[in-house]
Structures are given as C-alpha cells and as structure tokens.
Amino acid sequence: GMSSLGIMRPKKRREIEGVSSSSIIDLKASLFQAEEEVKRAKASGKPLPAKQLVVKQPQTRNKGVEERAQRDQIALEQQLNPTESLNSKMQQYNAMISQGYMDSKEQFLVDFEQKKWDEASSSTVGLASSIDVTPEAVVQEHVGESEAGDVLSELSEQTRSAGARADELRKRRLEAAKKRMQLKKASS
C-alpha cells in the first residue's frame, strides 16, 4: 500500500508452493529480457515479431528427482502383465494350501491348514468310497476287535475336540478380520 508520504512500500513476498527460488529468479530474468526486447523494438520503431516466450529450464534439479524417475522406470519394467501376476499368485496360494501354511499372525482370511486337511480328506473319501472301507473296519484291522471300541471312542473324542478348536480358531479369525475392516474404515 501507500504510506502517508506517497511512497510505495514493497509488498510482502509470498511463497509459492512447489516452486523453488531459483525457478522464480529464472522466470524474472526471462520476463526482464522480454520487456527489454519490447522497449528496444518500440524505440527503434520496428514492429515486434510475434513469438512465444521461451523459458529456460532451471540448471539445478530438485533433490531426488532423477532417483525417483529411475526407480519408477525400474518398477514399470518389472511390472508383470495381469495374467502372469494372477498365475504367480495362484502358484503361491496352491503352495500355501499344499504345505498347510500356519497363519500365526492371522493375516490371511484363508485357513490354509484347514484347506490342506479338506483336500486330503476329499481325496481319501473318494478312495474309501470306491473301496467301501469304514473307519471301524480299518481300526479293527490294525488294533484288533477287543480294543477297537476304545480306539474309536478316543478318536471320536479327539475329532470333537479338534472340531471345537477349529470352530474357535474360525471365530478368532473372523473377529480379527472384522477388527481389520473396522480399522481400515476408521483410517479412511
């Protein structure tokens, strides 16, 4: 603004976000050169040719720009096409199932150990039905008729216990998944 003496005070310098001071100096220099050309053309009486303002690129680059560009280029080159990516994920998934991957951190929604058991039981169920073998007959064949009842009741108890543990584990995983979803929603 103006003071009471009629002298203009310089305006307070404002920072421009994302523009370095060297870029501003380069722009001011380009503007000054363009203004000088206009003054010379007016003084000589020649018409000023129509041309675009050429702004030279700053000599210095921002820190890390080249590094980031190089990293981005490498990442782009390493990026798989969707089919290869899906095939890779499918192989990892199948490997985790076949190994019965134990998810101690409960980070997956899939129970790979249960999947392994399900696959094993489905393949043996098909085999057993084609041979028509019952669990009782197998136990009697291996331990004898006298102990078969005790072994079968013990197996039955273990099965119930394992089922209860599996149900508890499923509940915990479901609760953990719900908590993760709630945290995701809260952080979004």
Side-chain angles (χ1 to χ4, degrees), residues 24 35 50 65 73 100 160 162 164 182:
I24 292 176
E35 287 174 345
V65 169
Q73 183 63 32
R160 277 192 296 271
Q182 288 172 349

Side-chain angles (χ1 to χ4, degrees), residues 2 48 61 128 139:
M2 297 207 22
L48 191 61
R61 297 197 77 173
V139 170

Side-chain angles (χ1 to χ4, degrees), residues 102-125:
M102 291 293 293
D103 185 15
S104 59
K105 295 179 185 175
E106 295 185 358
Q107 60 187 0
F108 300 114
L109 295 176
V110 176
D111 184 352
F112 291 102
E113 188 174 1
Q114 184 63 42
K115 285 265 189 194
K116 179 182 178 184
W117 285 105
D118 290 347
E119 271 191 8
S121 66
S122 69
S123 64
T124 57
V125 165

Side-chain angles (χ1 to χ4, degrees), residues 70-129:
Q70 190 175 18
R71 278 194 310 246
D72 291 345
Q73 183 63 32
I74 290 170
L76 185 63
E77 290 170 0
Q78 290 177 345
Q79 194 174 36
L80 301 172
N81 71 33
T83 305
E84 289 177 6
S85 178
L86 287 174
N87 286 337
S88 170
K89 288 178 183 180
M90 186 177 66
Q91 288 172 348
Q92 288 174 340
Y93 176 80
N94 288 335
M96 292 173 101
I97 288 175
S98 67
Q99 296 167 1
Y101 180 77
M102 291 293 293
D103 185 15
S104 59
K105 295 179 185 175
E106 295 185 358
Q107 60 187 0
F108 300 114
L109 295 176
V110 176
D111 184 352
F112 291 102
E113 188 174 1
Q114 184 63 42
K115 285 265 189 194
K116 179 182 178 184
W117 285 105
D118 290 347
E119 271 191 8
S121 66
S122 69
S123 64
T124 57
V125 165
L127 180 65
S129 64

